[in-house]
Amino acid sequence: MRTSARELLEQLLDTDSFVSWDRPPVTVAASPQYRDALRKAAVAAGTDESVLTGEGLLRGRRVAVIACEFGFLAGSIGVAAAERIVSAVERATELGLPLVASPTSGGTRMQEGTVAFVQMVKIAGAVAAHKSAGHPYVVYLRNPTMGGVFASWGSLGHITFAEPGALIGFLGPRVYQALYGRSFPEGVQTAENLYRRGVIDGVLTIPVFRRIAHRALSVFSGIELPDSAAVQSNSERIAPRPQGPVTPERAQESESVEAERLRLDEGRSRAADDRVWQSVLISRRPERPGIRELLRHVTQRVPLSGTGQGESDRTAVLALGRFRGRPCVVFGHDRRGQQGENTMGPAALREARRSMALARELRLPLVLVIDTVGAALSKEAEERGLAPEIARCIADLVTLDTPTVSVLLGQGTGGGALALLPADRVLAATHAWLAPLPPEGASAIVFRDTDHAAELAATQRIGAADLLDDGVVDRIVPEFPDAADEPVDFARRMVAAIAHELATLRARPEPELLAARQARYRRLGLPGMTG
């Protein structure tokens, strides 16, 4: 059984107190098949997107609310849904309202590819700004809450509770089966297990959560509006904006025009499939230079180790050093330390957060190197809070008040890559890429096989050139033609590029950099905002 968004709102809020903040979803680029899927989802779910937002009264206390609707394409988050969420978070911040968020989602909307995946950055950034302004953020996870949603705004609550029996985790069981040929261990990705492991604060039915949330907001009363504002809001609320019926005519082009477009695009599509897929294969070459090769060309380097709290992870590297004389903190994935399922785990993410703290405390720039097959997929990683650590890394980076440079060096898979992405400047090697899942995993979700990996690598726009066009990447550092065949020259070229970016960033006031970074990820994916 799954609780719909409207059922949640009915049980959580005082009777007839909910007022919608939703406007019609922003228009996103969509194939005919995707447009048809959106129309069918709207009819099936009775909503125009996978999330509802608004405000209401929780036991007389005025709150803002965000509620996912799983019935709309499995609650997946694309550009339109993310824009609705961020707009609601920003409005709650402006009004000084506590925010109650209730995700239920399969994660990133695969039909929109990488640009949908990176929407989690701007959602996490909006939530981080809301919290920084002193306003409460309370989370209630419903069945199921998976992937990037759990690893971003689903894990940033001051307090976090979950629905009994809810499936909650970072990686979907079907993807694990496709990638490793066996089932994910049972009993790990449950609300009850995560509560026992200290990942969430409790498991409650909605009526009990309503009481606990009200109690918590009373404790947080020093950072919320006076109680009188709740009474006043009854006469000031604005009626929901009418949205009109969802009809096929609103988003459908004529069949003849679409057929001609598909014919013209077919040849270009095959070439794109080959180009991007070749980059994926090149990025996986064992001899490709990684972060350790870059650090060989960094002066005055001081290797550091661990989180400072009794944890270390050999899949990551932390160091101090100078890039062409420019001092900084360096943290990144170590491709040599990633073997099989031994990939970036919670300890590495806590080490990443140590690098952010060092940069802040020492007033040094931070350089982050992305080169990962993905975050750890294991029972231990789930129970030790992998997804919440990814969320905290994203939030910390979006709000970090020192200059930041992120380098997409090779593979950039999933939350392990996203955790190191938000920066003032993002560089990419020619054959680097960024995606919510390996192309094989995306193919397993969309086509139920791995035979369409090359096709999805292209259509999801995961390659460096596409990321540059979409505004995710700012600059491509060339490979001639493959970094594995010129490791020293490539490493020097990348170090020089990083040094140049550091010099440029250090010349700008830090408050200006922070504002520009937050604006960058706020606009990401919207029409006219690509590079």
Side-chain angles (χ1 to χ4, degrees):
M1 296 293 295
R2 294 192 177 99
T3 306
S4 72
R6 289 196 172 93
E7 289 171 336
L8 169 86
L9 295 173
E10 289 172 1
Q11 296 182 57
L12 179 65
L13 300 177
D14 298 354
T15 304
D16 297 328
S17 70
F18 177 70
V19 177
S20 176
W21 287 351
D22 295 336
R23 297 184 177 185
V26 299
T27 302
V28 298
S31 66
Q33 295 88 347
Y34 182 30
R35 286 196 292 271
D36 185 55
L38 290 172
R39 288 193 295 270
K40 290 178 179 177
V43 173
T47 62
D48 61 354
E49 247 302 336
S50 62
V51 64
L52 302 179
T53 71
E55 69 167 271
L57 301 179
L58 197 163
R59 297 188 126 191
R61 189 177 297 273
R62 190 181 177 195
V63 297
V65 185
I66 296 172
C68 280
E69 175 50 67
F70 194 83
F72 193 105
L73 294 181
S76 57
I77 302 299
V79 170
E83 179 62 18
R84 179 170 287 183
I85 292 168
V86 171
S87 295
V89 175
E90 291 175 339
R91 185 168 177 177
T93 305
E94 182 181 356
L95 294 173
L97 292 179
L99 179 58
V100 180
S102 183
T104 173
S105 173
T108 299
R109 190 164 297 172
M110 289 294 151
Q111 295 89 334
E112 295 181 26
T114 295
V115 73
F117 174 51
V118 297
Q119 296 301 302
M120 304 306 172
V121 173
K122 74 179 183 184
I123 298 174
V127 170
H130 180 81
K131 294 168 64 178
S132 295
H135 307 308
Y137 180 58
V138 177
V139 174
Y140 183 70
L141 306 171
R142 293 172 15 246
N143 180 44
T145 302
M146 304 295 293
V149 172
F150 182 44
S152 58
W153 57 288
S155 291
L156 294 176
H158 288 112
I159 59 173
T160 303
F161 293 89
E163 192 174 43
L167 176 68
I168 301 171
F170 178 58
L171 180 74
R174 189 195 306 163
V175 178
Y176 186 91
Q177 176 74 40
L179 294 177
Y180 296 110
R182 59 180 182 275
S183 299
F184 194 82
E186 293 185 5
V188 176
Q189 296 175 316
T190 66
E192 288 77 8
N193 186 52
L194 296 184
Y195 169 52
R196 286 192 296 269
R197 302 290 176 173
V199 177
I200 63 175
D201 295 306
V203 180
L204 307 172
T205 61
I206 297 173
V208 178
F209 170 71
R210 170 179 155 89
R211 294 199 301 269
I212 297 298
H214 178 262
R215 189 181 305 168
L217 293 175
S218 297
V219 174
F220 295 150
S221 60
I223 54 172
E224 75 165 32
L225 293 174
D227 290 350
S228 59
V231 178
Q232 185 182 17
S233 68
N234 285 325
S235 61
E236 294 178 350
R237 284 178 284 156
I238 301 172
R241 183 169 174 165
Q243 298 183 17
V246 178
T247 62
E249 292 78 11
R250 290 172 64 183
Q252 189 173 27
E253 297 178 11
S254 70
E255 291 183 7
S256 59
V257 172
E258 194 56 48
E260 177 66 12
R261 177 181 294 170
L262 291 172
R263 185 184 68 77
L264 293 172
D265 286 347
E266 187 175 356
R268 288 193 295 266
S269 230
R270 283 195 296 267
D273 285 3
D274 293 340
R275 173 179 58 81
V276 180
W277 182 242
Q278 283 304 308
S279 285
V280 171
L281 296 179
I282 287 171
S283 74
R284 292 171 174 173
R285 288 186 63 182
E287 57 270 44
R288 185 177 179 83
I291 187 172
R292 292 187 182 276
E293 284 71 28
L294 295 188
L295 287 174
R296 290 193 184 111
H297 302 278
V298 172
T299 60
Q300 295 183 315
R301 60 185 179 273
V302 180
L304 304 176
S305 180
T307 62
Q309 299 174 354
E311 292 179 294
S312 63
D313 192 318
R314 295 186 181 276
T315 67
V317 171
L318 173 61
L320 307 178
R322 289 181 180 270
F323 284 74
R324 300 294 189 268
R326 302 288 173 180
C328 61
V329 179
V330 186
F331 178 84
H333 305 116
D334 181 8
R335 62 187 293 117
R336 310 298 180 207
Q338 302 176 64
Q339 300 292 333
E341 295 181 43
N342 180 36
T343 57
M344 185 181 203
L349 291 159
R350 285 188 271 273
E351 196 167 341
R353 295 183 68 211
R354 180 190 174 191
S355 76
M356 299 169 203
L358 282 171
R360 180 184 295 112
E361 292 167 5
L362 299 172
R363 311 308 302 165
L364 290 175
L366 176 62
V367 175
L368 300 149
V369 179
I370 299 170
D371 194 4
T372 181
V373 295
L377 311 176
S378 67
K379 174 179 182 291
E380 293 75 18
E382 296 280 358
E383 292 176 345
R384 290 168 55 209
L386 175 69
E389 285 301 329
I390 293 173
R392 294 179 189 117
C393 279
I394 296 171
D396 286 354
L397 278 177
V398 172
T399 57
L400 192 65
D401 55 0
T402 61
T404 53
V405 176
S406 184
V407 180
L408 193 55
L409 194 60
Q411 300 184 79
T413 300
L418 194 67
L420 305 188
L421 178 71
D424 299 312
R425 295 283 291 176
V426 180
L427 310 184
T430 300
H431 297 298
W433 52 275
L434 177 71
L437 289 171
E440 296 90 339
S443 179
I445 288 180
V446 177
F447 296 102
R448 304 294 178 110
D449 60 42
T450 59
D451 300 335
H452 297 76
E455 175 187 339
L456 277 176
T459 59
Q460 287 192 318
R461 299 179 60 80
I462 71 173
D466 292 325
L467 297 174
L468 182 68
D469 289 342
D470 289 338
V472 178
V473 162
D474 299 300
R475 175 181 175 185
I476 294 178
V477 178
E479 304 177 39
F480 297 122
D482 178 347
D485 296 327
E486 48 142 11
V488 173
D489 288 344
F490 171 76
R492 288 174 175 165
R493 196 179 308 128
M494 181 62 81
V495 167
I498 295 169
H500 173 78
E501 299 297 343
L502 291 174
T504 302
L505 292 173
R506 286 303 291 263
R508 298 176 61 185
E510 289 180 358
E512 178 184 312
L513 286 176
L514 178 58
R517 187 191 315 144
Q518 292 175 333
R520 168 200 182 117
Y521 288 102
R522 173 64 182 85
R523 296 193 304 265
L524 196 62
L526 295 180
M529 296 300 178
T530 56

